[in-house]
Amino acid sequence: NKYRVLIADDEAPARAKMQRMLSTIETVEVISLAKNGLEALEQIDQLKPDIVFLDIEMPGLTGIEVARSIGTSKVPYIVFATAYNEFAVNAFKLNAIDYLLKPFNEERLLQTIEKIQAQPKGRFAEEVIKSIDKVAQEWEENSSFQFSNKIPIPTIDRYKLVDYDDVICIEVEDRALYRDWE
């Protein structure tokens, strides 16, 4: 039984390198590549990967915003893979299973997969759900790291970004209603 993996990075060479390194590990299968945060969120929602490798700085939504926006029905293992070491402590507060600082090698990537194999999935998901909103709020208040101030609203085939300031109320009665928003 292989772990299904999604790689989200805005740089094509970084996505290709990660995919190449993961292909050498028998217990994983790369099911999709995303080139920005919004695409990553859509694919997480549709494909329900077991592991998501997220870059921090991506257009559309940052890796942090993606982690914050993942639905609670099936939280994947979250691994931040980024060149920004200043976010490592906060990433672990988000209960990321690991934080890979670029450039990393195959041995370091294998250590991440071994860490995932040692962590019970249910317990990891509970911890992630509890901490993501708390830490994201701390980051917004105490950090120079800026969130895009958008709410991703799912439609039938994508997410629509809406400014927080433009929202008075969000209410969903039936997923079929999303078709009318386009």
Side-chain angles (χ1 to χ4, degrees):
N1 209 4
K2 292 186 175 191
Y3 289 102
R4 300 168 66 246
V5 174
L6 168 70
I7 300 167
D9 196 306
D10 60 328
E11 297 176 8
R15 286 191 309 269
K17 181 179 179 183
M18 173 79 76
Q19 184 175 22
R20 191 172 47 255
M21 288 193 302
L22 286 169
S23 71
T24 67
I25 302 172
E26 289 183 18
T27 57
V28 301
E29 172 189 6
V30 176
I31 59 168
S32 191
L33 303 171
K35 60 183 177 273
N36 60 56
L38 190 56
E39 196 174 281
L41 189 58
E42 290 171 349
Q43 291 180 20
I44 291 166
D45 185 51
Q46 292 170 4
L47 302 174
K48 311 276 189 268
D50 301 307
I51 305 169
V52 177
F53 288 89
L54 291 172
D55 188 13
I56 297 276
E57 287 287 332
M58 292 187 291
L61 295 172
T62 67
I64 303 303
E65 290 172 316
V66 171
R68 186 180 191 191
S69 301
I70 294 171
T72 58
S73 62
K74 188 173 181 193
V75 177
Y77 291 101
I78 298 169
V79 179
F80 288 103
T82 185
Y84 298 95
N85 64 354
E86 65 266 26
F87 301 114
V89 171
N90 288 326
F92 284 112
K93 285 183 183 177
L94 276 170
N95 281 326
I97 195 80
D98 210 346
Y99 192 94
L100 300 174
L101 190 58
K102 294 177 184 175
F104 51 86
N105 58 26
E106 290 178 11
E107 182 180 331
R108 179 63 180 91
L109 187 58
L110 185 57
Q111 289 172 351
T112 298
I113 300 302
E114 289 169 352
K115 186 185 281 189
I116 288 169
Q117 292 170 329
Q119 177 78 357
K121 179 69 170 159
R123 193 172 125 235
F124 172 77
E126 288 172 13
E127 295 301 316
V128 169
I129 291 166
K130 282 191 255 181
S131 66
I132 284 178
D133 282 336
K134 178 182 173 212
V135 173
Q137 183 177 3
E138 286 176 20
W139 281 11
E140 287 173 337
E141 293 170 0
N142 303 319
S143 174
S144 61
F145 186 78
Q146 297 295 312
F147 289 90
S148 66
N149 205 26
K150 306 263 187 199
I151 300 172
I153 305 292
T155 64
I156 204 69
D157 62 345
R158 60 188 173 91
Y159 282 78
K160 183 176 183 178
L161 292 177
V162 179
D163 287 326
Y164 288 135
D165 296 337
D166 294 340
V167 176
I168 297 170
C169 176
I170 296 176
E171 187 174 322
V172 177
E173 292 181 18
D174 181 2
R175 193 161 178 89
L177 292 177
Y178 291 12
R179 289 186 199 106
D180 298 334
W181 291 20
E182 298 198 275

